[in-house]
Amino acid sequence: MGKAILFSAPSGCGKTTIIKELMQYFDCFDFSISATSRAPRGEEENGRDYYFLSREEFKARVERDEFLEWEEVYSGTCYGTLKSEIQRIWDAGKVIVFDVDVNGGRNIKKYFGEDALSIFVLPPSVEVLEQRLRSRGTDSEEAIVKRLARSAEELKQAPQFDVTIVNDNLQRAVQETRNVIEKFINE
Ligand code: ADP
Ligand code: 5GP
């Protein structure tokens, strides 16, 4: 089994931003592209950010047992990790990077055990989280309300992760994340 780094946090905490910075630094990383039944947002591309599937196609793949884990993260919107992604990345001899919700993070950590480093990204405050979701400018008011409603419960689960990183100043948060990952990879 190869190694894996998994990032979880409520939506808007900065996982995607931090992962993008780290991908430029760690050549050994490859991002696990999840499947989702939501529509692309902003500049997102199929096969790069997500595999965008219809709800029917997503369900068919669940029936065919193609997912390592999947969740209906928001009502009506499913996200999941395809087993084929893990195979693809390990065949290339790379370290898998996951960006998953908090439940998915717990399930993936259970599956990989010591071979995974689980990282929880915290916002400096709930107020800042709300500001970031709004300033991202990619979600409808309804989606923002759903995401904030879910975040309180998710934030309580931070202590179950191996490491927590407060994403206040981005460069500081990236540096701190780099340090813990380097230690884990070289162990
Ligand atoms: P997530 O992937 O966790 O949903 P994003 O990476 O999309 O979150 O970040 C949400 C928004 O917050 C984006 O607009 C991003 O540019 C911004 N952001 C991320 N980190 C910081 C930071 N440290 N300071 C200020 N804005 C940030
Ligand atoms: P977004 O719509 O903002 O891209 O993602 C919403 C939430 O779904 C985020 O918390 C993200 O981490 C999570 N997510 C993305 N892919 C997966 C996945 O494969 N499995 C699970 N369980 N959650 C995922």
Side-chain angles (χ1 to χ4, degrees):
M1 205 184 238
K3 288 194 172 183
I5 313 283
L6 72 92
F7 287 87
S8 290
S11 182
C13 286
K15 294 180 299 292
T16 310
T17 308
I18 292 176
I19 290 171
K20 278 198 177 135
E21 296 268 334
L22 293 170
M23 297 295 288
Q24 290 177 25
Y25 182 77
F26 289 100
D27 290 339
C28 59
F29 278 7
D30 203 348
F31 183 65
S32 165
I33 303 164
S34 295
T36 181
S37 67
R38 79 156 165 76
R41 197 169 67 193
E43 306 281 290
E44 287 177 337
E45 275 179 32
N46 186 40
R48 185 192 67 185
D49 301 286
Y50 281 107
Y51 299 113
F52 293 100
L53 307 178
S54 67
R55 250 186 99 70
E56 292 66 36
E57 175 65 7
F58 197 100
K59 278 191 177 159
R61 287 178 179 238
V62 171
E63 294 298 317
R64 294 201 297 266
D65 198 25
E66 291 184 18
F67 288 102
L68 174 69
E69 62 79 37
W70 68 276
E71 295 275 332
E72 184 163 347
V73 177
Y74 305 107
S75 69
T77 310
C78 297
Y79 297 81
T81 305
L82 290 161
K83 292 176 185 170
S84 55
E85 275 298 288
I86 293 166
Q87 205 50 53
R88 175 182 73 77
I89 296 171
W90 276 347
D91 286 349
K94 300 268 183 149
V95 174
I96 311 175
V97 178
F98 294 103
D99 172 345
V100 291
D101 87 315
V102 174
N103 290 332
R106 292 210 326 257
N107 289 333
I108 290 176
K109 174 68 185 177
K110 236 184 263 165
Y111 178 80
F112 286 94
E114 293 298 302
D115 293 318
L117 177 70
S118 62
I119 301 176
F120 197 103
V121 181
L122 286 166
S125 66
V126 174
E127 291 73 26
V128 172
L129 173 61
E130 181 166 355
Q131 269 170 24
R132 285 189 187 162
L133 274 173
R134 290 190 192 287
S135 63
R136 185 163 69 183
T138 50
D139 298 283
S140 65
E141 184 58 28
E142 189 196 351
I144 291 173
V145 169
K146 271 193 194 175
R147 281 158 196 264
L148 285 171
R150 193 179 159 89
S151 66
E153 214 31 62
E154 289 177 323
L155 287 169
K156 287 187 197 154
Q157 298 182 48
Q160 296 182 39
F161 285 70
D162 295 326
V163 178
T164 50
I165 301 284
V166 180
N167 181 18
D168 39 18
N169 173 282
L170 181 62
Q171 286 321 314
R172 196 208 53 75
V174 168
Q175 184 60 52
E176 193 182 334
T177 314
R178 257 172 61 175
N179 293 346
V180 289
I181 290 175
E182 264 164 2
K183 190 160 168 270
F184 171 75
I185 287 179
N186 295 322
E187 260 168 13

